[in-house]
Amino acid sequence: MPNEKTAHTLPLVETFYSLQGEGIFGGAPACFVRLAGCNVGCAWCDSKSSWDARHFAPVAADEIVRTVLQYPAPMVVVTGGEPLLHNLDELCNLLQRHNLQLHLETSGTQPLSGKWDWICLSPKVQQPPLQAVCSLANECKVVIAGSNDFAWAEQNAARVSPHCRLLLQPEWSRRDEVLPLITEYAKQHPKWRVALQLHKLIDIP
Ligand code: SF4
């Protein structure tokens, strides 16, 4: 990639190629770019090892792009941690030169940077999302661990745009208890869909 050298670095946990396991694009092949650092601290987090960015060496954005280009899928999912702790303008600029579809997974707690084809907002009650991110979200995925979380889900539904897709996802370790609740809630409130973590069901990264 001549002329794409950049001094901009990001604390990279990993890049890997898999299927999108969550949300509207569940089942679609995608390259994942997981960045380090998280300011939210969910008790049930799957990627706690990514929370402290000091544990991960900074990697140049153009080097991340070179890795992404090894994979055949057009979808790139930038995730974390909380990726918006870092300025993502440069990474997005470089990736967009290759006509990739850029998806962001965020808690929405930090100002938006980068340009995205799809923003998946996963709001967390302990650190509510910024309105600016809510307004631009394409998908709002609320994790449900108990019946109290439906009120939180509705608070977020009221903050996103009318075009935003609304998903209820059971917290994995409590799925047996909460799936019947979620199923019934979606039937009674059909603006919501039920979402499962496909990657955990089929045991892939
Ligand atoms: S926001 Fe995401 S990365 Fe951060 S603690 Fe919660 S689930 Fe984990």
Side-chain angles (χ1 to χ4, degrees), residues 34-35 37-48 50-51 79-83 106-107 109 122 124 126 143:
R34 186 184 305 284
L35 300 177
C38 188
N39 58 318
V40 182
C42 307
W44 38 259
C45 179
D46 289 337
S47 52
K48 287 182 175 167
S50 72
W51 285 4
T79 187
E82 172 44 67
T106 179
S107 62
T109 57
S122 186
K124 306 298 182 333
Q126 67 272 34
V143 176

Side-chain angles (χ1 to χ4, degrees), residues 63-85:
E63 192 176 327
I64 296 173
V65 175
R66 268 195 292 276
T67 305
V68 168
L69 292 175
Q70 293 173 8
Y71 304 111
M75 186 190 300
V76 181
V77 180
V78 178
T79 187
E82 172 44 67
L84 289 178
L85 285 171

Side-chain angles (χ1 to χ4, degrees), residues 143-154:
V143 176
I144 302 292
S147 54
N148 290 343
D149 293 328
F150 292 116
W152 168 242
E154 294 295 349

Side-chain angles (χ1 to χ4, degrees), residues 6-13 35 56-65 67:
T6 174
H8 186 67
T9 61
L10 292 161
L12 180 69
V13 178
L35 300 177
F56 298 91
V59 177
D62 59 313
E63 192 176 327
I64 296 173
V65 175
T67 305

Side-chain angles (χ1 to χ4, degrees), residues 165-184:
R165 310 287 287 271
L166 301 175
L167 300 174
L168 300 171
Q169 178 176 291
E171 197 276 286
W172 185 253
S173 70
R174 296 190 36 79
R175 62 192 182 282
D176 290 345
E177 294 94 323
V178 297
L179 256 175
L181 303 179
I182 294 175
T183 303
E184 198 51 40

Side-chain angles (χ1 to χ4, degrees), residues 130-159:
L130 303 176
Q131 184 55 48
V133 183
C134 291
S135 299
L136 292 172
N138 302 99
E139 171 180 357
C140 178
K141 180 180 65 186
V142 183
V143 176
I144 302 292
S147 54
N148 290 343
D149 293 328
F150 292 116
W152 168 242
E154 294 295 349
Q155 285 176 40
N156 286 282
R159 297 180 69 197

